[in-house]
Amino acid sequence: MVKDSRKALVSTKEAHYEFGGPLSVFAMTVALPLVCYAITFFCNDVSGCPVPSLLHPSTLSWNQLKQETGWPEGGLSSLIDLRVVGAVLGYYALSLLMQVGLAGQEVEGVELRSGGRLKYKFNAFNSAVVILTAALVGTITQGADFPVWTFIWDNYASLLTVNILLAYSLATWVYIRSFSVKPGNRQQRELAQGGSTGNLIYDWFIGRELNPRINIPLFGPLDIKVFLELRPGMLGWILLDLAFVAHQYKTHGYITDSIILITLFQTIYVLDALWNEPAILTTMDITTDGFGFMLAFGDCVWVPFIYSLQTRYLAVHPVQLGLLGTLGVLTVQGIGYYIFRGANNEKNIFRTNPSDPRVSHLKSMTTSSGSRLLTSGWWGQARHVNYLGDWIMAWAWCLPTGLAGYLITQKIPETFYGGTHPSEDIQKIVVPDDAKGWGMLFTYFYVLYFGILLVHRERRDEEKCRRKYGTDWELYKQKVPSRIIPGVY
């Protein structure tokens, strides 16, 4: 039964805007794809990272820049390859097939504003095991020439383009479909509180419908937002990493410790998230945000293509860390993971069973709503201390690239008879040269962006908690004054 059918729809009399409002989110819908393209073309295997003209702006010209970036002669339209379109759609279809076909854990979500709970089926980890096992078999039998790895490298810009178009299409389709949500519907569809302002561009960006679903014959409902939250983009991130490892081996004849570490860290991070997939049901993405361009672009484009840029860099410019460098990076990763996993485990155990011996000794305060907020242990150090661990781990994913930057020159071998040389005899030489340090604008972009993201997410969490707990939250802030970094912020 629905408690109050009117709660499924949200009043738009008082619009509350985030991200700076409609003009700002419009700018983001234009800027985000441009950022992805800039990173792709300005840090490449054609001329360098960054491209030489950016190091010497006085020599910058459009024709020279197109040559250095490897911009296709046919322009943007040539980035839309029908083979790539088919491959991307096939990958998403495979993910969907495994979602509905493989066995999984049945879980109920949190209670909706309109009453009731939606049911979910989780098997992303099982799906990942199937795909990664197939990739392993292919690599064992065909090595670095395994077609999946070569296809990804050879069609990287096209893969990016198709996923960008997919994100725009999904956001638009879900937005239009959201207007079919009616009060008291049996499907328990409802609108997101923050995505029903009445402003077209803002609602399209934030997401108007909270839990858009489609019914698949014989298999039942599929939640689009939950499906895309951890798959196929998260697994796509790891597949990109592995393709870049294969390319490094194919090009240079060896695999460096730096690219192994980053790929290992990120694979563990993703598999950990997939193993704990039901935990996403209590996150803001699922409980609060609608599904719009923000989540569609993040899931389909930003996560796989931006989060893997360090391994893409190392595929072209190998970096050997050595024993001390490896130990240093492992230490950073270990500290970050210790904080991240320790804080999250403590919170989850306390929520599930406060009497558990592992958390029963912790201090807490009880709010007027009956909820208990931890005031000691990890959560007594800072109100969002888990974000600190997350950010520290981000450094471990960037540090292996070192003082990044390289230029690519060509070496034509000398011959006894002279004359012309076939293109395969021309060798590419990758050297730091004048680019050393400037490549950090790309390889350390993730840690800068992620820090900003975490601060913004923390501010959103704070506002949500302030509305939920009222004066109790102000009292809690007095007991735990730090936000993320104990004693600093």
Side-chain angles (χ1 to χ4, degrees), residues 132-420:
L132 292 177
T133 300
L136 175 63
V137 172
T139 304
I140 291 174
T141 56
Q142 299 180 322
D145 289 319
F146 180 45
V148 172
W149 307 145
T150 58
F151 184 86
I152 288 174
W153 184 267
D154 294 340
N155 298 280
Y156 181 82
S158 292
L159 288 168
L160 171 63
T161 301
V162 173
N163 278 279
I164 288 174
L165 294 175
L166 181 62
Y168 277 104
S169 301
L170 276 172
T172 303
W173 178 72
V174 170
Y175 175 77
I176 294 172
R177 187 172 177 269
S178 71
F179 288 94
S180 64
V181 176
K182 304 298 181 184
N185 64 85
R186 295 183 178 181
Q187 295 77 28
Q188 296 180 302
R189 296 173 65 192
E190 62 181 53
L191 302 183
Q193 288 181 309
S196 307
T197 66
N199 183 281
L200 187 152
I201 186 64
Y202 183 83
D203 292 348
W204 173 82
F205 178 88
I206 292 293
R208 193 168 183 270
E209 186 171 355
L210 179 66
N211 48 342
R213 291 186 158 208
I214 56 175
N215 281 309
I216 302 176
L218 303 179
F219 293 102
L222 175 76
D223 191 296
I224 297 173
K225 182 169 66 172
V226 170
F227 171 73
L228 291 174
E229 183 76 8
L230 293 182
R231 69 161 105 197
M234 290 281 278
L235 181 57
W237 169 15
I238 301 308
L239 292 175
L240 288 175
D241 277 349
L242 294 174
F244 301 150
V245 173
H247 184 79
Q248 186 189 77
Y249 181 79
K250 183 176 181 179
T251 303
H252 302 281
Y254 57 87
I255 300 175
T256 59
D257 48 14
S258 57
I259 201 170
I260 290 175
L261 283 178
I262 295 176
T263 303
L264 179 64
F265 293 158
Q266 295 181 347
T267 300
I268 291 174
Y269 183 88
V270 169
L271 292 180
D272 178 76
L274 300 183
W275 179 261
N276 296 288
E277 189 179 13
I280 67 173
L281 293 179
T282 58
T283 63
M284 183 176 289
D285 283 358
I286 306 302
T287 63
T288 306
D289 293 333
F291 183 77
F293 179 78
M294 178 178 69
L295 290 181
F297 190 86
D299 294 339
C300 299
V301 182
W302 197 260
V303 167
F305 290 94
I306 295 300
Y307 287 20
S308 62
L309 62 88
Q310 293 88 5
T311 51
R312 177 171 169 264
Y313 170 89
L314 291 171
V316 180
H317 185 224
V319 174
Q320 289 285 7
L321 298 175
L323 178 60
L324 292 180
T326 298
L327 290 176
V329 172
L330 286 171
T331 299
V332 174
Q333 172 72 12
I335 292 173
Y337 188 78
Y338 175 71
I339 297 173
F340 173 79
R341 182 49 58 199
N344 282 325
N345 282 348
E346 184 179 86
K347 177 182 66 175
N348 292 335
I349 293 171
F350 186 79
R351 282 181 174 178
T352 304
N353 180 17
S355 300
D356 190 297
R358 291 171 291 179
V359 296
S360 59
H361 63 285
L362 298 177
K363 297 179 181 179
S364 65
M365 61 169 281
T366 304
T367 66
S368 56
S369 64
S371 301
R372 294 173 63 183
L373 302 176
L374 286 170
T375 57
S376 67
W378 283 113
W379 299 93
Q381 301 300 314
R383 301 193 295 275
H384 308 277
V385 69
N386 56 327
Y387 291 170
L388 175 61
D390 226 352
W391 193 59
I392 292 175
M393 283 193 290
W395 279 97
W397 301 355
C398 299
L399 287 171
T401 62
L403 292 175
Y406 61 80
L407 295 176
I408 296 178
T409 60
Q410 292 184 341
K411 179 182 179 182
I412 302 178
E414 295 181 1
T415 63
F416 181 80
Y417 297 103
T420 59

Side-chain angles (χ1 to χ4, degrees), residues 95-138:
S95 298
L96 178 60
L97 181 63
M98 289 190 292
Q99 160 70 26
V100 299
L102 293 179
Q105 181 181 4
E106 302 284 345
V107 180
E108 284 192 341
V110 299
E111 186 175 3
L112 300 169
R113 298 193 316 278
S114 55
R117 299 171 185 267
L118 294 172
K119 293 182 179 181
Y120 299 89
K121 176 184 176 182
F122 292 120
N123 60 9
F125 184 84
N126 297 339
S127 301
V129 170
V130 171
I131 291 179
L132 292 177
T133 300
L136 175 63
V137 172

